[in-house]
Amino acid sequence: MDGDLSPQDKKDLDKFIKFFALKTVQVIVQARLGEKICTRSSSSPTGSDWFNLAIKDIPEVSHEAKKALAGQLPGIGRSMCVEISLKTSEGDSMELETWCLEMNEKCDKDIKVSYTVYNRLSVLLKSLMAITRVTPAYKLSRKQGHDYVILYRIYFGEVQLTGLGEGFQTVRVGVVGTPVGTVTLSCAYRTNLAFMSNRQFDRSAPIMGIIVDHFVDPPCSSQRPAVMGQPCNYRAPDEEDGGAFAGVQDSQEVCTTSFSTSPPSQCVCTLSPSPSKMSKPLPLDSLQLPLAPGLVAHNMCPSRLLYQPGAAEVYPPAANANQLLHAGKEGGVVVVPCQPHGVDAHLTVEAPLTTPGSSGDDEGLSRSGEERREEGRSVSPSDPVESLNAFTRKVGAFVNKPSTQITAANLDLPFAAFAARGLDSEGSDPMVQPPESPPSQSPLQASLHSQGSEGSGPQDDFVMVDFRPAFSKDDLLPMDLGTFYREFQNPPQLTSLSLHISSQSMADDLDSLPEKLRVYEKNIDEFDAFVDMLQ
Amino acid sequence: MNCRSEVLEVTVEARQVDEAMLALLHTILLHRSTGKFHYKKEGTYSIGTVGTADNDCDFIDFTFVRVSSEELDRVIRKAVCEFKDALYNTGSDGMGQISLEFYQKKKSRWPFSDECIPWEVWTIKVNVVNLANEQERQICREKVGEKLGEKVINVVEVINRNEYLPKMPTQSEVDNVFDTSLKDVQPYLYKITYQITDSLGTSVSTTMRRLIKDTLAL
């Protein structure tokens, strides 16, 4: 069957199909993140954009896709499927759609691999982009948030459509004929959105998550298989592609694709494979069993961390400096350039606080991340207590470091985080003059305390909490307005107000007084004349 | 070759005309645009990268994907705007059609001007309705969104038939096949024209032919 295909063409075709599969997954998952996608056109080929399309590669997604493929390619009888489902905050799930990349036996021997097939795959990806915005799951995914989240699962093998309920519809995105078969891309989507009308979801088949709203627990936390507990910076897989966790290596392969126009009907494709790639032939005759469905886990960093007093520092579980969580609403993304110290964290990854107002309001992590930044990352606490003392944070403008925790409950009141706290014994900040609000603190503090303040002692630091300023848009990045507030909550002290400088200047002032008085007395006539002039 | 012709029909409310037209035109152009060609020695060329951008419609429950090119977007918006103005201003009862035609130029000898040979024409027929109340408008929002989704699926179906496309040109011929005037993307040569149907059902005699590109007169 492959006899007519030159080895170079065969190799190119395999590569095209592999990257087409990876890009397909990226397009589908990105279309279900719940946000608008925008990438830039570039007139000069960058060499890393497969199919001449600017499709970003989310590393986790690439990794999951590669894991699912496990070195194989979609082939006849081996389809690559991306299943999109919805999970509510109560834990109910429903499959929404299944995208299938299949191969059938119909070959097109005459087609030119490195030109026609490549371009047609490019057009097919564009069609996929257009169609992903049209199926019903798109609108659902744009509205995901508190009530539900959208999850994805990649599997390889037989297509499973039973979870889509009765009357599901199929839309064919397109086909591309190749010398080894015809690539078909289609989507089957549920039409019966009556939720939980048939609870087919098998709880023993966990779904890996994606696009989790940061207010909600990671999906399937109650049925988490061992693999779900993986931290976000999981060890780079030891695969044939050199363990490129970032996935960028792959996408940088090829793509110095050039085409020939002389004669116009022919094409010479010059590909420059990256050296680390795929030195062994792809095992097209499947040697491996397809992965069990549902066991491809996506790592979700628990979205909620409670910083407890007494803890030295807060780290997200095993985050590293480059960690980026791709949560759907990126309000949930926690990008924390944490110091890679040993995790001496009294972390509490909590179930959602059951207080009503608290859903998703304590993104302690970003707060702690800021702390790191503020301290100039110079705090390297070998001693937790020392590090606490080193903090001189102020919560809210003009407010001393509170002696109590701030927890999520304060968000019942907008801008409660700004409310003044009592002076604590450390208060050597002349700048910090609590306004006459101390009396009003007590109800707040009482409510704060009631939120499970476990700290004690005046040196206790406050709980990292994120607040959502009223009317601020909870969009892609964690709350610009909130970030603004946080950053400007703690303005540096005015030098003139710091004690030792002021005392110094006071002494200077006193010394210079007699001199000044003499000068003024000498010029008293001038001053009088000036005053007369003004009258 | 024969020119492929596809017709799409939509019924929209007045304020939805813009977005419905943009959605469909951009969807078509997304598939009919490539990156910029960079010709090198020995007759080879490389292709730039096409970015995409999601566009949410304000008056329709719909999001479409367009090529990420501000220049192209401006050109299309201008054409749609003119169409919409013509639709309102002429004495029509809200029916018209906008055509997106892809063509190739064929050089002729002097004194004949170059020929423009269309190879694909998309015609979008629009029927504008007026709605009485807000509830109807809300229903219309959703319905038109669904309809546009169906139209996008139709467009994708046609395009994926992989029928005739002009051959990739040599450097000297590239302007006969592609619109190279944009700096970031390169659609096939196209022109957008429209016709307004008056209440008698015939084309208005002043059918305006708008050449969005610098094509030669037919």
Side-chain angles (χ1 to χ4, degrees):
Chain A
M1 179 181 322
D2 297 340
D4 297 337
L5 207 55
S6 72
Q8 180 61 37
D9 274 352
K10 178 82 178 62
K11 195 165 149 222
D12 291 342
L13 186 60
D14 288 344
K15 214 184 295 189
F16 293 170
I17 293 177
K18 174 187 167 192
F19 284 99
F20 180 75
L22 295 176
K23 288 294 181 182
T24 295
V25 175
Q26 290 287 350
V27 167
I28 294 170
V29 172
Q30 288 176 25
R32 298 289 175 262
L33 286 176
E35 59 203 28
K36 292 201 314 190
I37 306 290
C38 191
T39 54
R40 295 188 58 179
S41 302
S42 158
S43 68
S44 8
T46 57
S48 62
D49 293 321
W50 271 94
F51 306 105
N52 309 119
L53 288 173
I55 299 173
K56 277 195 267 240
D57 280 326
I58 300 178
E60 286 90 346
V61 175
S62 289
H63 181 72
E64 297 303 337
K66 283 181 204 157
K67 244 165 71 172
L69 285 174
Q72 299 179 78
L73 288 182
I76 296 159
R78 294 190 314 270
S79 309
M80 190 189 75
C81 300
V82 182
E83 183 186 281
I84 301 290
S85 54
L86 175 153
K87 185 173 178 198
T88 65
S89 46
E90 285 100 40
D92 294 325
S93 309
M94 178 165 72
E95 274 174 46
L96 296 177
E97 50 187 24
T98 300
W99 298 83
C100 307
L101 177 60
E102 301 169 289
M103 192 82 127
N104 68 31
E105 295 107 357
K106 189 171 162 210
C107 302
D108 185 345
K109 299 277 188 205
D110 301 324
I111 204 168
K112 298 231 174 338
V113 168
S114 53
Y115 164 65
T116 310
V117 171
Y118 190 83
N119 286 337
R120 287 188 181 174
L121 289 174
S122 177
V123 171
L124 188 53
L125 275 175
K126 292 174 186 169
S127 300
L128 179 65
M129 286 184 205
I131 301 280
T132 45
R133 274 66 173 173
V134 157
T135 53
Y138 181 72
K139 291 203 187 85
L140 286 171
S141 69
R142 288 293 296 269
K143 295 180 191 156
Q144 65 182 298
H146 295 274
D147 299 324
Y148 63 87
V149 290
I150 303 292
L151 315 178
Y152 74 93
R153 175 171 83 99
I154 309 174
Y155 62 90
F156 196 69
E158 290 287 320
V159 180
Q160 298 155 22
L161 299 177
T162 49
L164 294 173
E166 284 179 12
F168 64 86
Q169 300 273 1
T170 310
V171 61
R172 194 171 79 162
V173 181
V175 297
V176 172
T178 76
V180 301
T182 299
V183 175
T184 312
L185 191 49
S186 59
C187 172
Y189 59 92
R190 170 186 281 273
T191 52
N192 175 16
L193 288 171
F195 194 53
M196 304 318 293
S197 58
N198 35 347
R199 285 185 182 237
Q200 293 178 358
F201 179 70
D202 179 4
R203 296 220 165 217
S204 64
I207 288 186
M208 70 182 170
I210 4 173
I211 311 173
V212 176
D213 178 69
H214 73 287
F215 305 135
V216 175
D217 257 0
C220 309
S221 54
S222 58
Q223 58 209 57
R224 193 188 292 214
V227 71
M228 281 287 284
Q230 278 181 19
C232 299
N233 62 336
Y234 50 88
R235 179 183 62 81
D238 188 14
E239 288 179 52
E240 63 216 14
D241 61 359
F245 167 64
V248 171
Q249 266 190 12
D250 279 333
S251 67
Q252 280 170 349
E253 187 180 342
V254 187
C255 295
T256 43
T257 315
S258 35
F259 300 92
S260 168
T261 56
S262 52
S265 58
Q266 265 189 11
C267 263
V268 167
C269 188
T270 58
L271 305 174
S272 57
S274 108
S276 66
K277 285 295 112 184
M278 298 292 286
S279 46
K280 61 179 187 190
L282 294 164
L284 284 183
D285 48 339
S286 65
L287 303 169
Q288 303 179 16
L289 294 173
L291 293 181
L295 283 185
V296 190
H298 187 83
N299 304 297
M300 290 314 302
C301 189
S303 58
R304 195 166 317 198
L305 295 172
L306 203 59
Y307 178 64
Q308 304 226 350
E313 293 181 68
V314 175
Y315 299 95
N320 64 18
N322 295 321
Q323 197 50 50
L324 184 71
L325 285 181
H326 293 273
K329 291 295 172 70
E330 285 195 15
V333 171
V334 175
V335 183
V336 181
C338 277
Q339 299 157 6
H341 284 250
V343 180
D344 176 22
H346 299 267
L347 282 177
T348 307
V349 177
E350 288 208 348
L353 293 177
T354 50
T355 53
S358 69
S359 56
D361 292 328
D362 49 354
E363 195 172 21
L365 205 49
S366 48
R367 197 54 104 99
S368 73
E370 286 209 39
E371 225 177 48
R372 296 291 152 307
R373 286 191 279 279
E374 282 179 15
E375 299 299 318
R377 305 227 216 152
S378 57
V379 177
S380 313
S382 48
D383 182 356
V385 177
E386 271 176 29
S387 70
L388 277 177
N389 291 338
F391 290 155
T392 50
R393 278 192 58 104
K394 297 167 202 41
V395 176
F398 313 116
V399 172
N400 256 339
K401 214 167 61 163
S403 56
T404 58
Q405 280 187 338
I406 303 167
T407 62
N410 63 1
L411 291 158
D412 291 332
L413 301 159
F415 310 113
F418 288 128
R421 311 275 174 257
L423 283 169
D424 71 9
S425 56
E426 250 194 31
S428 63
D429 312 322
M431 159 117 181
V432 174
Q433 303 289 347
E436 301 72 45
S437 58
S440 70
Q441 283 179 31
S442 25
L444 265 181
Q445 285 195 349
S447 68
L448 294 179
H449 278 291
S450 73
Q451 286 309 308
S453 147
E454 281 136 1
S456 56
Q459 294 306 318
D460 288 337
D461 210 337
F462 45 84
V463 172
M464 301 305 136
V465 73
D466 191 23
F467 61 90
R468 296 167 66 195
F471 313 118
S472 78
K473 219 167 142 206
D474 182 12
D475 213 4
L476 296 176
L477 293 174
M479 294 160 273
D480 289 340
L481 187 56
T483 314
F484 177 89
Y485 277 140
R486 276 196 291 281
E487 284 179 12
F488 289 94
Q489 265 174 18
N490 304 289
Q493 299 177 24
L494 291 178
T495 49
S496 58
L497 291 181
S498 67
L499 269 181
H500 62 281
I501 292 177
S502 65
S503 59
Q504 234 176 14
S505 60
M506 181 85 99
D508 290 344
D509 285 341
L510 286 172
D511 288 344
S512 64
L513 266 180
E515 183 65 43
K516 286 187 189 157
L517 281 173
R518 251 180 273 126
V519 171
Y520 298 150
E521 280 173 14
K522 216 164 51 165
N523 296 329
I524 202 167
D525 294 339
E526 283 179 39
F527 292 133
D528 286 343
F530 180 65
V531 168
D532 291 337
M533 191 177 69
L534 289 174
Q535 281 166 358
Chain B
M1 89 298 308
N2 291 326
C3 173
R4 246 191 328 276
S5 177
E6 303 295 333
V7 178
L8 307 164
E9 289 194 45
V10 285
T11 300
V12 295
E13 207 203 342
R15 61 186 186 165
Q16 295 171 324
V17 171
D18 276 347
E19 289 175 338
M21 297 302 102
L22 282 173
L24 294 176
L25 292 174
H26 270 303
T27 300
I28 298 166
L29 278 165
L30 170 69
H31 291 87
R32 292 285 179 245
S33 300
T34 73
K36 295 285 288 179
F37 281 15
H38 296 274
Y39 286 91
K40 301 186 269 210
K41 291 185 282 228
E42 299 122 27
T44 58
Y45 62 94
S46 57
I47 308 181
T49 300
V50 172
T52 55
D54 284 342
N55 258 64
D56 287 339
C57 296
D58 294 324
F59 300 112
I60 314 176
D61 278 348
F62 191 67
T63 301
F64 62 91
V65 183
R66 63 171 175 88
V67 169
S68 192
S69 164
E70 295 309 320
E71 278 180 82
L72 183 63
D73 190 35
R74 265 200 297 274
V75 167
I76 304 301
R77 280 182 188 271
K78 185 162 166 250
V80 167
C81 211
E82 284 171 7
F83 171 65
K84 191 186 70 172
D85 290 341
L87 204 54
Y88 291 163
N89 295 339
T90 61
S92 74
D93 59 355
M95 287 182 59
Q97 62 185 49
I98 193 167
S99 291
L100 173 60
E101 178 186 303
F102 293 101
Y103 65 94
Q104 267 178 278
K105 267 197 271 190
K106 193 171 159 196
K107 295 250 181 275
S108 306
R109 290 182 186 282
W110 184 89
F112 302 107
S113 53
D114 291 348
E115 269 185 272
C116 292
I117 305 172
W119 51 271
E120 189 173 75
V121 178
W122 297 84
T123 303
I124 306 170
K125 291 193 172 161
V126 184
N127 184 21
V128 181
V129 295
N130 291 317
L131 297 176
N133 62 44
E134 201 51 44
Q135 196 186 4
E136 281 183 29
R137 283 199 195 99
Q138 185 57 36
I139 297 173
C140 188
R141 265 186 85 99
E142 292 162 11
K143 283 225 166 337
V144 171
E146 287 169 16
K147 274 284 165 211
L148 282 181
E150 286 171 30
K151 299 303 161 194
V152 164
I153 294 176
N154 290 352
V155 167
V156 162
E157 241 177 314
V158 169
I159 290 194
N160 271 277
R161 282 186 214 146
N162 292 317
E163 291 168 344
Y164 173 80
L165 279 181
K167 287 201 171 63
M168 284 299 142
T170 56
Q171 190 166 12
S172 52
E173 302 269 302
V174 69
D175 288 313
N176 294 342
V177 175
F178 286 102
D179 173 359
T180 52
S181 63
L182 304 172
K183 54 178 198 303
D184 44 10
V185 294
Q186 192 173 287
Y188 282 100
L189 277 178
Y190 67 93
K191 60 173 92 128
I192 298 181
T193 60
Y194 58 84
Q195 285 181 339
I196 309 297
T197 315
D198 67 11
S199 29
L200 295 177
T202 56
S203 305
V204 175
S205 58
T206 54
T207 297
M208 296 163 74
R209 190 169 201 106
R210 305 307 253 160
L211 301 184
I212 305 302
K213 245 197 84 342
D214 55 338
T215 56
L216 304 167
L218 276 181

